[in-house]
Amino acid sequence: MPNAIVTGAARGIGLATAKLFLAEGRQVAMIDRDGDALAKAAEGLDHVLPITCDVSDEAQVTAMVAQVTDAFGSVDALVNNAGVADFRPLGETDLQIWRRVMATNLDGVFLTSQAVIPHMTQGSGAIVNIASISGLRASTLRVAYGTSKAAVIHLTRQQAAELGERGIRVNCVAPGPVDTKLALAVHSKEIRAAYHDAIPLNRYGTEQEIAEVIVFLCSDKAAYVTGQTIAADGGFDATGVGLPALRQN
Ligand code: NAD
């Protein structure tokens, strides 16, 4: 049975991705630092291996990967999805906040990939890193979050460059706004309305819509795609400022 590791799998985009992998016949290691939420999410699901692990902690990541490879053998797909958001002005972003965001969003992707890569199925392994439109276009209040996600986009290319000759593909998905707990915590009513204005499809995305792109990139259907970032964002990244006013005309 093919397998996948999904980090941040207790809820949101990670849980939707885990469920889609299951529906496609993979067994899934569901990784999250919130053990209670993870246990609830995994309840009633077959072919899952839930493991509580903080992806920013090297020792925990090493132990988690050992547990997964004991159970699965080699790893077919890794989705580095665990992430945290923090929106605040430059002047209020102190080093502790910066480090907290980088620890999960960037170190977590680096550490988990480093630990998993030696165990990836040679010739057909796939990694998908989850960035954000905030890593593609700069915006106010996202000095730490946006920078961490821009780094994930470049880390994806670095990994793709080195792992290509081993047949391991590495791609990135940059989601637009999706109604998850993460977004609810940082998107005010005003931010929500502004997003609707700035997105050609004029709405938030769903967890399922992001999961579909992730699962596609992990599949053989994307066998010749590596080093790419796909924005699943309703057109936000492709379009410029000022269009909402034009649209009203
Ligand atoms: P969410 O908050 O609903 O879920 C994130 C999960 O990751 C949670 O279960 C949390 O416990 C887990 N997690 C956080 N830090 C962790 C760590 N250090 N170790 C292990 N688990 C950890 O968030 P979501 O909206 O589903 O976001 C998933 C990914 O998508 C994140 O990387 C996020 O930055 C990205 N993203 C989300 C949106 C959006 O609007 N929701 C937009 C762009 C990008």
Side-chain angles (χ1 to χ4, degrees), residues 182-239:
L182 177 145
L184 291 172
V186 287
H187 293 180
S188 62
K189 224 173 107 192
E190 294 72 23
I191 292 179
R192 295 181 66 83
Y195 263 131
H196 280 254
D197 275 347
I199 291 175
L201 289 183
N202 203 14
R203 63 174 176 85
Y204 273 43
T206 66
E207 294 155 359
Q208 179 77 14
E209 287 169 330
I210 309 301
E212 294 282 359
V213 181
I214 298 168
V215 168
F216 162 72
L217 286 171
C218 289
S219 77
D220 288 344
K221 291 178 186 162
Y224 201 49
V225 182
T226 195
Q228 293 301 307
T229 295
I230 296 188
D233 68 348
F236 178 87
D237 179 52
T239 53

Side-chain angles (χ1 to χ4, degrees), residues 54-180:
D54 182 335
V55 296
S56 68
D57 182 310
E58 189 173 12
Q60 289 188 38
V61 170
T62 304
M64 175 274 282
V65 173
Q67 210 180 320
V68 173
T69 51
D70 270 358
F72 292 174
S74 65
V75 176
D76 300 318
L78 166 66
V79 179
N80 284 307
N81 163 79
V84 294
D86 189 288
F87 288 7
R88 68 182 81 220
L90 277 169
E92 289 174 22
T93 304
D94 61 26
L95 185 59
Q96 208 183 343
I97 291 162
W98 171 270
R99 288 235 162 98
R100 190 179 67 80
V101 173
M102 293 295 166
T104 290
N105 293 7
L106 183 55
D107 299 356
V109 176
F110 171 76
L111 288 172
T112 309
S113 302
Q114 293 292 100
V116 170
I117 286 163
H119 305 282
M120 287 213 93
T121 310
Q122 299 294 301
S124 67
I127 299 176
V128 173
N129 299 322
I130 307 307
S132 166
I133 48 169
S134 301
L136 288 167
R137 284 172 62 179
S139 170
T140 47
L141 308 186
R142 282 154 225 221
V143 61
Y145 184 73
T147 306
S148 73
K149 294 301 192 179
V152 165
I153 290 168
H154 196 71
L155 176 58
T156 301
R157 296 190 192 117
Q158 293 291 151
Q159 292 173 328
E162 283 197 37
L163 297 175
E165 56 193 30
R166 287 204 236 162
I168 297 172
R169 297 178 301 104
V170 190
N171 291 291
C172 181
V173 174
V178 178
D179 263 329
T180 63

